[in-house]
């Protein structure tokens, strides 16, 4: 959990930029037919034939998006890829390539970057994507990671946030709130460690939610399941900022309202017990926590028999007239307006 200060350290200046990139990417193989030319030239060359191309990019900054006192670099490399692939799957597309750019200060030796790229390599293998480029540079303030993900889909397969219709069902994959609670556990143990460095935390009871924070998974499987079931979502988004924020994005882009039912929100038992331990409301954590990287989508009601009983999917509400607005229907059957209280990097960073 805490960095080993005695490990081998190779200064990055010993290699130079081009040798560094060649060293870090030597184990990456090209697997996608659409990768015409990968790393090694001024630009990559892709050939998608008649498919549409989708592209998404994300920036992760040390001290804002991750804390290396409890985030292993291999996990960070993996997660940096996953958060971008999730955006591609949220378009109902299949991710095919990524680029990875990093800026690091001189406190990071070569061995640290090897760990980071080992995580990137694992993600590439698990999700079948090619690393086709990127950049490395120096930083005065720690570590910065930028990943761009590229994917493909037929035009008729692509799903936007704007297609939801009145009376469509609102569906979510997996369960919610685990990543946020995993972060709370890690932050608590970090404070304990500061007071007593000899104390080693027992994270076993929290293994599921800690993994949801440190090593999340993107839901490529849901895109594949929906295609096998011949279900075409009318609108879709991934849950990175909390359920309430994402529901409101769908409502705004599609110009509809929504009734979201509290008793339908899927929660893992660990989320419920840990919420009680932290004296937090599990519903509020699911609504506002973020970083779950599940898929939230709408379907026409006639598609319901196709997904009924699928353990990966839960119907949590339905879309309404825009004049009705977006509401949470509580277990007590009261109607509360939904508010976007998800994580905001700008306010968090300024605090």
């Amino acid at each position: 959990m805490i960095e080993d200060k005695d490990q081998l350290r190779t200064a990055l200046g010993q290699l130079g930029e081009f040798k560094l990139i060649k060293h870090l990417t030597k184990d990456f193989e090209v697997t996608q037919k659409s990768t015409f030319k990968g790393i090694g030239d001024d630009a990559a060359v892709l050939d998608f034939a008649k498919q549409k191309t989708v592209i998404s990019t994300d920036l992760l900054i040390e001290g804002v998006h991750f804390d290396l006192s409890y985030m292993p670099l291999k996990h960070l490399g993996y997660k940096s890829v996953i958060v971008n692939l999730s955006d591609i799957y949220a378009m109902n597309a299949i991710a095919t390539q990524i680029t990875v750019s990093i800026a690091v200060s001189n406190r990071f030796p070569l061995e640290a970057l090897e760990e980071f790229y080992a995580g990137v390599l694992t993600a590439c293998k698990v999700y079948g994507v090619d690393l086709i480029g990127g950049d490395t540079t120096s930083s005065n303030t720690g570590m910065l990671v930028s990943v761009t993900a590229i994917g493909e889909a037929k035009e008729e397969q692509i799903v936007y946030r704007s297609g939801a219709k009145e009376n469509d069902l609102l569906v979510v994959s997996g369960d919610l709130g685990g990543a946020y609670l995993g972060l709370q556990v890690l932050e608590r143990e970090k404070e304990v460690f500061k007071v007593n460095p000899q104390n080693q935390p027992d994270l076993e009871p929290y293994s599921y939610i800690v993994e949801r924070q440190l090593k999340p998974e993107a839901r490529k499987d849901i895109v594949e399941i929906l295609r096998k079931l011949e279900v075409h979502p009318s609108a879709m988004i991934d849950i990175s900022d909390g359920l309430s924020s994402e529901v409101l994005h769908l409502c705004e882009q599609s110009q509809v309202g929504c009734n979201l039912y509290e008793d339908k929100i899927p929660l893992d038992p660990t989320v419920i017990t840990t919420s009680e331990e932290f004296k937090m409301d599990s519903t509020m954590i699911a609504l506002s926590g973020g970083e779950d990287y599940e898929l939230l989508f709408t379907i026409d009601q006639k598609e319901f028999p196709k997904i009924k009983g699928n353990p990966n999917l839960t119907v949590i509400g339905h879309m309404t007239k825009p004049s009705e607005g977006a509401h949470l229907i509580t277990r007590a059957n009261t109607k509360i307006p939904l508010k976007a209280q998800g994580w905001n990097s700008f306010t968090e960073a300024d605090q």
Side-chain angles (χ1 to χ4, degrees):
M1 185 170 174
I2 301 304
E3 185 185 358
D4 177 7
K5 303 294 183 184
D6 298 323
Q7 60 191 345
L8 181 67
R9 291 177 63 88
T10 305
L12 299 180
Q14 289 180 223
L15 285 86
E17 183 181 0
F18 293 110
K19 284 186 179 177
L20 175 61
I21 292 170
K22 190 174 181 180
H23 177 82
L24 293 173
T25 60
K26 66 182 186 300
D27 296 326
F28 289 80
E29 296 177 0
V30 169
T31 61
Q32 290 287 339
K33 290 179 182 177
S34 52
T35 305
F36 193 77
K37 172 68 176 175
I39 296 168
D41 219 304
D42 290 306
V45 180
L46 307 179
D47 181 5
F48 288 103
K50 295 179 181 178
Q51 301 271 66
K52 294 295 182 186
T53 308
V54 292
I55 301 172
S56 179
T57 192
D58 260 314
L59 196 59
L60 299 172
I61 299 171
E62 185 179 357
V64 178
H65 302 101
F66 60 89
D67 185 334
L68 291 177
S69 65
Y70 51 71
M71 168 67 85
L73 282 163
K74 189 171 183 179
H75 287 66
L76 178 63
Y78 190 89
K79 184 173 180 177
S80 299
V81 176
I82 295 314
V83 301
N84 282 272
L85 299 187
S86 183
D87 286 331
I88 302 298
Y89 302 136
M91 301 295 292
N92 202 37
I94 295 299
T96 48
Q97 289 90 9
I98 58 166
T99 67
V100 176
S101 296
I102 57 171
V104 290
S105 64
N106 58 13
R107 71 182 169 95
F108 291 89
L110 174 63
E111 289 73 21
L113 298 197
E114 287 175 338
E115 278 293 294
F116 176 85
Y117 272 84
V120 173
L121 178 60
T122 301
C124 286
K125 288 180 175 177
V126 170
Y127 288 89
V129 298
D130 291 341
L131 176 70
I132 59 165
D135 193 18
T136 59
T137 189
S138 58
S139 160
N140 293 326
T141 55
M143 189 173 195
L144 181 149
V145 181
S146 177
V147 177
T148 296
I150 301 158
E152 62 182 11
K154 293 177 182 174
E155 186 171 2
E156 63 270 20
Q157 291 173 325
I158 296 175
V159 178
Y160 301 95
R161 298 177 181 182
S162 54
K165 303 284 190 295
E166 188 183 330
N167 297 320
D168 278 0
L169 299 177
L170 184 66
V171 187
V172 72
S173 67
D175 55 79
L176 304 177
Y180 178 80
L181 278 173
L183 179 62
Q184 302 314 303
V185 169
L186 290 166
E187 286 286 348
R188 180 182 68 184
E189 296 307 323
K190 176 185 171 183
E191 293 305 313
V192 171
F193 184 84
K194 281 181 185 176
V195 176
N196 181 9
Q198 302 307 313
N199 182 67
Q200 283 302 312
D202 177 17
L203 297 176
E204 185 60 36
Y206 310 102
S207 57
Y208 176 70
I209 58 176
V210 167
E211 184 165 327
R212 293 282 280 175
Q213 171 58 220
L214 295 182
K215 189 180 171 288
E217 300 294 348
R219 299 309 304 260
K220 177 184 180 181
D221 60 320
I222 299 300
V223 175
E224 295 169 340
I225 286 168
L226 293 175
R227 289 185 183 179
K228 281 180 187 173
L229 296 174
E230 297 183 350
V231 172
H232 188 76
S234 48
M236 185 150 60
I237 193 170
D238 77 325
I239 301 177
S240 55
D241 297 328
L243 178 61
S244 59
S245 292
E246 314 305 1
V247 168
L248 290 171
H249 283 312
L250 289 184
C251 288
E252 181 183 354
Q253 300 266 333
S254 297
Q255 297 186 326
V256 291
C258 179
N259 284 334
L260 169 66
Y261 292 85
E262 181 182 20
D263 62 345
K264 301 294 184 187
I265 297 173
L267 301 172
D268 186 84
T270 314
V271 168
I272 296 169
T273 55
T274 312
S275 296
E276 291 169 357
E277 184 183 335
F278 278 87
K279 296 182 170 53
M280 293 177 170
D281 181 76
S282 57
T283 299
M284 287 306 298
I285 287 167
L287 290 174
S288 304
E291 289 201 289
D292 290 309
Y293 301 107
E294 296 295 343
L295 293 179
L296 177 72
F297 58 94
T298 55
I299 59 170
D300 189 289
Q301 287 197 27
K302 69 175 184 290
E303 303 260 45
F304 175 68
K306 297 178 184 177
I307 70 160
K308 185 180 179 182
N310 190 298
N312 299 283
L313 304 171
T314 308
V315 176
I316 58 173
H318 63 268
M319 312 318 275
T320 63
K321 295 177 183 177
S323 58
E324 292 187 26
H327 291 88
L328 177 72
I329 312 299
T330 70
R331 291 186 182 89
N333 207 30
T334 57
K335 215 171 182 180
I336 301 172
L338 267 186
K339 292 181 180 176
Q341 295 175 313
W343 189 82
N344 184 321
S345 63
F346 289 98
T347 56
E348 291 285 334
D350 292 340
Q351 286 175 3

